[in-house]
Amino acid sequence: MNTTVYVPAYNASRTLPSVLDAILAQTLAPNQILIVDDGSTDATAEIVARYTGRGVELLRQDENRGLAATRNRALAAATGDLLVGLDSDVRPEPDYLERTV
């Protein structure tokens, strides 16, 4: 099954690296990883940029529009048959995606 993991992020520079590391270490790798930066004023975008060569895509919103808008933006860009949303401060267990699928 083709899966997309998406993470809405607003000023998430403190927690995002561990979340991205956990997503990339899943026992079942996602086909697409989308991070929606919702107008962050911290280093969120710069942190995501460090992961772009590893299959992580950054979607940016110029201003903070809220959680619903970030989810909608991710869903519009998603290519997966199964969409899995994670909060930017939740580190999933290594088999989370496998168990979800």
Side-chain angles (χ1 to χ4, degrees):
M1 178 166 288
N2 189 338
T3 59
T4 296
V5 173
Y6 68 92
V7 179
Y10 176 69
N11 289 340
S13 63
R14 187 176 50 83
T15 58
L16 200 52
S18 65
V19 173
L20 287 168
D21 289 340
I23 293 169
L24 291 168
Q26 290 293 298
T27 56
L28 177 65
N31 300 90
Q32 182 182 38
I33 303 167
L34 300 174
I35 309 300
V36 183
D37 180 359
D38 191 24
S40 295
T41 57
D42 67 357
T44 295
E46 290 81 7
I47 288 168
V48 176
R50 294 183 215 153
Y51 289 84
T52 55
R54 299 170 63 188
V56 177
E57 299 173 50
L58 174 64
L59 304 174
R60 292 194 76 180
Q61 299 185 152
D62 292 334
E63 61 184 48
N64 183 262
R65 297 181 56 212
L67 187 56
T70 58
R71 287 181 177 154
N72 289 337
R73 178 88 186 269
L75 297 177
T79 59
D81 301 315
L82 176 65
L83 308 175
V84 178
L86 293 172
D87 290 338
S88 62
D89 62 350
V90 174
R91 187 173 184 198
E93 294 294 324
D95 63 344
Y96 174 77
L97 191 55
E98 185 175 5
R99 286 184 292 118
T100 301
V101 170

